[in-house]
Amino acid sequence: MRSRIATLDFARGLAIFGILLLNISAFGLPKAAYLNPGYAGVPSTSDTWTWAVLDAVAQGKFLMMFAMLFGGGLYLLLPRGKHWIQARLSLLLFCGFLHAIFLWDGDILLSYGLIGLVCWRMLREGRSSQSLISTGIILYMIGVAVLAMLGLISSPSPGTFWVPGPAEIQYEQFWKLKGGWEAIQNRLDLLSSSLLAVGAQYGWELAGAMLIGSGLMRSGWLKGEFRESHYRKVAAALLPLSLLIQIPAIYMQWKTGWDYRWSGFLLQVPREIGSLMQSVSYLALCYGFWSVISGWRLVRWISQVGRMALTNYLLQTLICTTFFNVIGFFMHFDRLQLLALVPLVWAGNLLFTLVWLRYFRQGPVEWIWRKLTLKASGVELKSA
């Protein structure tokens, strides 16, 4: 087994934790609430401020951060050959499909597996780290341009997915709490819409982030081979700039009352541009202050979570769907109250991870994923 990069594990664990800051609203509130806090009328002041702060510091940032780490991880796996990579990504896609159909409609694994299968050859054929990063930025900006174009050609009248009526909200609550075939049918419908979005727009951004991550890994940046002062300078340059780009757009969404065309498309453009820079700055902060934080117990714990990233992502789904859908707390909390529940889920991640890794070298899902990849690819590794 190849040696692990401690900072990479920490960044991956941090991304898994950060993704939940937004996903918790998707678990506990109607789907329309994810991007539109005014989905059911004028939101409360606390709801609005919670949305605004999360939009500035978390929305899209940790997903792009995780996508870059995913691309960097793919680059490290290239020596194992195409059969290993294709089998591994196909199994991830299948895992995401099961997750999206039987557990939760907010799955990201299927998209990562699908886009990974599409673009892994680009990682392999890249002439240099700079060419990978440049190509990644171009692909990402194509996705942003498509988003802007969709905003210009879309109808100004929102559908029920943006401003659902009482009947739609009640029905969503019904099938999420009931579960069974009714829930599976609705998740299938949502999955088809999600795949269309990936194919038309989001997939460009995801592929771009993966290529950028692979370029950063190839250059040694994600291996921590640069001076810490370099990483700190990157963070100092990109973090304020990203916020400067995004905060006016957040304010405009608020002032327009989360108008569908503006908040759903056009004002998302600054957020998408800023998110890429901000995710790089978050990574730079991890590497730039690693000598300071690496000895902290909490940092070591989060690094362990990163070693079991797939297991912990799925564990968050199990915890949240059990709490909100099975026990029945769906739509019982506002956005700020949901945010207060996040540390409890993190604690569940940490507890399970620390206990599991005391006895085993890999997370349970990672172990199954590895074993199935070995069988499907027919590749024999020198050490297992």
Side-chain angles (χ1 to χ4, degrees):
M1 183 179 293
R2 61 181 172 83
S3 60
R4 305 193 66 91
I5 303 171
T7 321
L8 201 62
D9 282 334
F10 172 69
R12 193 179 288 116
L14 194 65
I16 288 294
F17 277 1
I19 288 170
L20 185 62
L21 292 171
L22 276 302
N23 281 354
I24 195 69
S25 295
F27 283 118
L29 294 172
K31 195 166 184 68
Y34 188 77
L35 289 177
N36 179 19
Y39 75 98
V42 179
S44 66
T45 301
S46 68
D47 218 44
T48 303
W49 274 105
T50 304
W51 164 83
V53 172
L54 287 177
D55 201 276
V57 303
Q59 179 70 46
K61 286 72 176 175
F62 292 103
L63 282 171
M64 285 302 110
M65 180 175 168
F66 196 74
M68 284 191 284
L69 294 171
F70 186 86
L74 271 182
Y75 178 79
L76 292 177
L77 292 175
L78 288 178
R80 296 185 180 180
K82 68 176 184 179
H83 298 297
W84 174 276
I85 293 175
Q86 289 172 343
R88 185 175 176 85
L89 291 172
S90 297
L91 288 167
L92 181 66
L93 189 154
F94 183 64
C95 177
F97 177 77
L98 296 179
H99 181 234
I101 298 304
F102 294 106
L103 290 174
W104 185 48
D105 51 87
D107 170 77
I108 62 171
L109 303 178
L110 191 152
S111 299
Y112 278 61
L114 182 62
I115 299 302
L117 282 169
V118 170
C119 72
W120 76 267
R121 285 183 175 85
M122 299 175 69
L123 275 65
R124 183 184 64 183
E125 302 300 330
R127 291 176 299 173
S128 64
S129 58
Q130 184 58 53
S131 69
L132 287 170
I133 294 171
S134 299
T135 304
I137 292 173
I138 291 171
L139 292 178
Y140 190 91
M141 293 309 297
I142 289 174
V144 174
V146 171
L147 181 63
M149 183 185 68
L150 291 173
L152 294 174
I153 66 176
S154 65
S155 169
S157 302
T160 55
F161 60 88
W162 186 260
V163 185
E168 286 80 16
I169 294 176
Q170 187 176 15
Y171 177 62
E172 184 175 351
Q173 184 178 31
F174 165 74
W175 67 258
K176 285 190 173 179
L177 295 179
K178 180 184 178 183
W181 180 243
E182 188 88 19
I184 291 174
Q185 286 181 306
N186 278 277
R187 292 194 199 104
L188 280 168
D189 290 339
L190 291 169
L191 178 60
S192 64
S193 301
S194 176
L195 288 175
L196 286 173
V198 169
Q201 187 269 325
Y202 185 63
W204 292 98
E205 295 185 5
L206 203 54
M210 289 181 187
L211 284 174
I212 292 169
S214 68
L216 293 175
M217 183 64 74
R218 182 169 176 172
S219 70
W221 200 88
L222 278 179
K223 295 178 182 178
E225 294 178 358
F226 288 66
R227 292 179 180 271
E228 287 193 349
S229 60
H230 161 82
Y231 294 105
R232 293 175 185 178
K233 288 176 182 177
V234 170
L238 291 184
L239 186 55
L241 180 59
S242 66
L243 292 173
L244 189 64
I245 292 172
Q246 294 174 86
I247 289 175
I250 294 171
Y251 175 76
M252 288 302 299
Q253 288 186 65
W254 192 337
K255 294 302 289 184
T256 58
W258 296 276
D259 174 80
Y260 170 60
R261 174 178 283 181
W262 285 100
S263 293
F265 296 100
L266 298 176
L267 290 174
Q268 295 294 324
V269 170
R271 207 271 311 283
E272 296 302 295
I273 294 172
S275 290
L276 183 63
M277 293 188 290
Q278 201 161 335
S279 58
V280 173
S281 72
Y282 286 171
L283 287 170
L285 287 172
C286 294
Y287 286 84
F289 291 93
W290 185 245
S291 63
V292 177
I293 66 175
S294 58
W296 297 359
R297 181 176 297 178
L298 180 60
V299 169
R300 292 198 298 270
W301 289 351
I302 295 174
S303 299
Q304 299 289 72
V305 170
R307 287 181 58 185
M308 292 173 43
L310 180 56
T311 294
N312 277 298
Y313 173 74
L314 295 173
L315 180 60
Q316 289 178 355
T317 294
L318 290 175
I319 293 173
C320 292
T321 53
T322 299
F323 182 76
F324 293 111
N325 299 352
V326 178
I327 299 177
F329 283 102
F330 182 70
M331 291 183 62
H332 276 58
F333 303 95
D334 63 24
R335 205 174 293 261
L336 183 59
Q337 291 168 334
L338 288 170
L339 191 61
L341 297 175
V342 168
L344 298 178
V345 183
W346 289 346
N349 284 133
L350 287 169
L351 179 62
F352 180 81
T353 297
L354 296 176
V355 171
W356 184 271
L357 290 180
R358 181 176 295 179
Y359 302 100
F360 305 98
R361 295 177 63 184
Q362 288 181 295
V365 182
E366 285 79 8
W367 183 84
I368 294 171
W369 190 16
R370 181 182 176 86
K371 291 298 182 183
L372 291 177
T373 301
L374 283 167
K375 290 184 178 296
S377 66
V379 175
E380 294 185 5
L381 302 181
K382 293 181 180 180
S383 59

